[in-house]
Each structure stands twice: as structure tokens, then as C-alpha cells.
Amino acid sequence: MFRPVIIAIIGQCYVNVSGRTNNYFTQRTAILATNSIRMEKELSRGCPQGSCSAPCYWNLQYNSLMKIKYMDRTKVVAYADVLIMATRGESIRAVENCVNVELNKINAWAKNNKTGFNDKKSKVMLVSRRKRKENKYITFYLNNKPLDQVTKMKYLRIILDHKFRFNEHIKYTAERCGKLIHSLARWTKMTWGIKHAAMDTIYKGAILPLLTYGAPVWIEAMNHEYNRRKYIRVQRLINISMAKAYRTTSTKALCMLTATTPIIIKLQEIVKRYNTKKRKNSSLMEVDHDVEYKYWPHPADTVKIEEVVSDEEATIHAFTDGRRKKKSRDWSSGF
């Protein structure tokens, strides 16, 4: 699968690197063993899994696909072995023609590099906010086979819908976390079971990463109340188990009892931290985070609090110990 690329690089490498590469791609076999049958076949394609060099060789191979000259209206993004291609156009038919031309380029690349794409796992989704009635069915061909058109798809564990509202992703994540919490319910009783510290570890290590995954992408969907309620409901379930409280306890009180940040505020914090890191020449001092002692501000440089002294006499006197000077309605003498 990768020999054409490797041969072009070997001539510029050291002898030990060349020998290691040749050994990496030769005498590779696949073995299938059952109770009574053992089959062995020599492999001439593919990259061995589980090795440190496999990602490097895969990048060398896959990088040539990214360098294909696509149209200006087409953008190709690859992550590992997953490829997504986005194309825009003035009409549905224009997009259909453009994508089929780009897919022909990809098919030619796969043929030249002795590899292929799975047409059964490849999906097509039309993103459009037009309200007028028109035929929105499009036909794309990969490996001379038509691809299935869907209204939502999962890409890198994020569910994308045809209007980019991310309601399905929030619903799916909330239901998944709810099932995990309910599976722990039998072990989190009022008088026995998992303690608060263990539940806090489960929440921060398992539940919270699922809820906040990809938050910078879909955070705007939290502007809708029905999406916020789904995440608040999930956090409420885990907080009840952590605090071992009654179900009638308010959500805000549960966050105080368990010392957890409300999920909506936590999402905003994560998004702000991500945007701060993404900006060039930015500093993390804009958000709250742990700082090493050597970066702490010097006490002499802290803000000084100045007391303002005024000669004007106060007309209202307040007593914190409950005393009152007079039981009269003259508010100038105290209350």
C-alpha cells in the first residue's frame, strides 16, 4: 500500500532507517486460527496496527490525497482515516456536479495508491436553510455506487444535523450520560454504597468529559432553554447521588452541597479557555486557572484599598446587635 512512497524516501535516508523500513513492510502475514483450521496469508497492503511508525507512514500516504488540486469551493478535512469533504454552490444541481467531479479525483487517487474507500460507510448530507419547496435529493457516486443521503451523521463523536443546530448531539449525549448514572443508582444508596469522593471522581472522569466534548462547536445550541434543561437534568441526577439528598432538593442547593460548578457555567468556562488558547499572542490570565507560585503577583503590587474620609455626618445609624435608640418613627435617629 505504501511502497511507492517509501521507495521515494529511502534514497534520502540513512542505511539503518532504510533497513528498518524494508523489514517493516516485508514478510508480514495474517493468521486466522479456529478450533480445527489455521489459515495464513501474506499481506502486501495495509499498515501494521499498534506500532509507533504506523501513524508516520499513514501520514506520508494520506498527505498526497490532501494535496490534490480541488476546486475553490471545496474544502477537504482529514482526521486519521476519516475524510470529510464540504462543497458549496448556488444550487443543489451545481453542488451535485461539483462533488461528483471531486469524487472522481479521489477514486483515481485510491486506484493509484492501491487503496479504497468504503462506500457503505460513506454518507451524504445536504446543508441548506432554504424554506422553499424543491427537490433536495442529490446523487453522489463513489466506487461507481450511489451514496446514501442522510439528515444527520456522526463525525468524530459529534452528531451533525442538516441545519447545524446540534439538538440531536445534545439529546444523544444527555441520554447516554443518564444511562450511565442510572446504572450506578443501585450502588449509591442513602446509608451505604459509593462514597462522595468516589462519585466525584466518576463525575469528573467519566460524566463531565462526555458532556463537554466538543463544546466550542455546539455551545450556541445552549442558548435554547430546552437544550439547557437536558444537561441540567443530567447533572442533577449525579449530584443527588453524590450528596445522597432527597429528590426534592433544589438544583442550586445540590451544586452547593457537592461543590460542583453548574454545567452551563462549566461549558462557558471551557469554551472561553479554548478561545483564549486559540487566539495568537493571548494569555491565560483572562480566565481562572492554576498558576505556579513563581508567577503569583507580589503582595506589594496588589491593589491598595483607600479609605475615604468625609466630614459629613451620617443621618442614618445602623445597629447590628438589634438595639434601637428610640421606638419612634424618626428615621434620622436610627432604626
Side-chain angles (χ1 to χ4, degrees):
M1 180 177 177
F2 302 99
R3 285 186 180 179
V5 178
I6 297 301
I7 292 175
I9 296 177
I10 285 177
Q12 303 177 5
C13 294
Y14 295 102
V15 177
N16 58 343
V17 178
S18 175
R20 184 179 302 175
T21 304
N22 287 330
N23 184 44
Y24 189 84
F25 287 98
T26 56
Q27 297 181 356
R28 294 190 293 117
T29 58
I31 301 175
L32 176 62
T34 60
N35 295 333
S36 59
I37 302 176
R38 176 185 174 88
M39 300 180 63
E40 183 174 345
K41 184 178 181 181
E42 183 178 355
L43 299 179
S44 59
R45 296 183 181 183
C47 192
Q49 301 292 325
S51 62
C52 299
S53 302
C56 179
Y57 292 131
W58 172 253
N59 290 336
L60 291 173
Q61 173 72 9
Y62 217 52
N63 189 49
S64 60
L65 175 62
M66 307 301 295
K67 291 185 176 180
I68 294 178
K69 189 176 181 179
Y70 298 99
M71 298 182 182
D72 295 337
R73 63 180 65 183
T74 301
K75 183 177 180 61
V76 177
V77 180
Y79 183 86
D81 60 342
V82 181
L83 180 72
I84 184 171
M85 182 173 64
T87 305
R88 56 182 175 84
E90 293 77 11
S91 63
I92 297 178
R93 301 285 77 85
V95 172
E96 184 176 8
N97 296 332
C98 180
V99 172
N100 283 319
V101 172
E102 305 292 17
L103 289 178
N104 289 333
K105 298 178 183 178
I106 294 176
N107 283 329
W109 176 89
K111 185 177 180 180
N112 295 333
N113 290 272
K114 299 181 181 180
T115 186
F117 292 90
N118 192 338
D119 54 88
K120 295 182 180 179
K121 293 184 178 181
S122 301
K123 305 297 180 181
V124 178
M125 185 174 68
L126 178 64
V127 180
S128 176
R129 293 186 178 181
R130 291 181 178 179
K131 296 182 179 180
R132 65 185 184 186
K133 295 182 179 181
E134 57 181 337
N135 184 13
K136 295 185 178 181
Y137 180 77
I138 50 181
T139 305
F140 298 150
Y141 294 93
L142 182 64
N143 301 330
N144 296 325
K145 297 180 181 179
L147 301 179
D148 297 333
Q149 183 176 353
V150 296
T151 57
K152 61 181 179 179
M153 65 172 62
K154 181 182 290 187
Y155 177 70
L156 300 181
R157 290 171 48 197
I158 295 180
I159 299 178
L160 306 175
D161 57 271
H162 67 289
K163 293 186 181 297
F164 281 171
R165 294 178 178 174
F166 298 101
N167 297 335
E168 292 294 332
H169 174 77
I170 295 175
K171 178 182 177 181
Y172 169 78
T173 305
E175 291 178 353
R176 182 181 180 185
C177 293
K179 292 179 181 179
L180 293 176
I181 296 172
H182 286 304
S183 63
L184 295 172
R186 74 172 88 180
W187 307 106
T188 56
K189 300 300 181 181
M190 293 290 293
T191 57
W192 60 276
I194 303 177
K195 301 299 181 181
H196 171 81
M199 288 298 300
D200 184 65
T201 302
I202 295 174
Y203 170 70
K204 293 181 179 180
I207 306 299
L208 190 60
L210 291 176
L211 292 174
T212 60
Y213 176 78
V217 178
W218 46 262
I219 187 61
E220 293 184 359
M222 284 298 172
N223 296 333
H224 303 286
E225 181 64 24
Y226 53 84
N227 286 330
R228 291 198 296 268
R229 286 200 299 264
K230 295 175 184 177
Y231 267 40
I232 294 174
R233 189 180 302 113
V234 172
Q235 189 183 40
R236 176 180 173 81
L237 290 175
I238 191 69
N239 283 344
I240 290 176
S241 300
M242 291 171 61
K244 299 185 184 301
Y246 293 104
R247 294 186 178 274
T248 55
T249 309
S250 66
T251 303
K252 296 181 180 179
L254 288 173
C255 291
M256 295 293 294
L257 292 173
T258 58
T260 57
T261 306
I263 186 62
I264 305 301
I265 299 178
K266 188 65 177 179
L267 290 172
Q268 296 173 352
E269 176 187 345
I270 293 174
V271 173
K272 186 175 181 180
R273 185 184 296 271
Y274 170 80
N275 294 331
T276 303
K277 290 182 178 179
K278 188 177 180 181
R279 290 197 299 265
K280 296 181 179 180
N281 301 326
S282 61
S283 174
L284 284 177
M285 295 303 294
E286 300 180 12
V287 294
D288 295 337
H289 65 287
D290 296 332
V291 181
E292 297 181 10
Y293 298 111
K294 60 181 180 180
Y295 296 115
W296 282 19
H298 194 274
D301 299 332
T302 57
V303 179
K304 296 181 180 180
I305 301 177
E306 298 181 359
E307 183 178 357
V308 180
V309 180
S310 177
D311 297 333
E312 298 180 0
E313 296 182 358
T315 58
I316 297 178
H317 302 278
F319 302 93
T320 59
D321 57 353
R323 294 183 298 108
R324 300 179 64 179
K325 282 188 175 182
K326 295 180 179 180
K327 293 184 178 180
S328 62
R329 296 184 180 182
D330 185 7
W331 298 104
S332 63
S333 60
F335 57 89

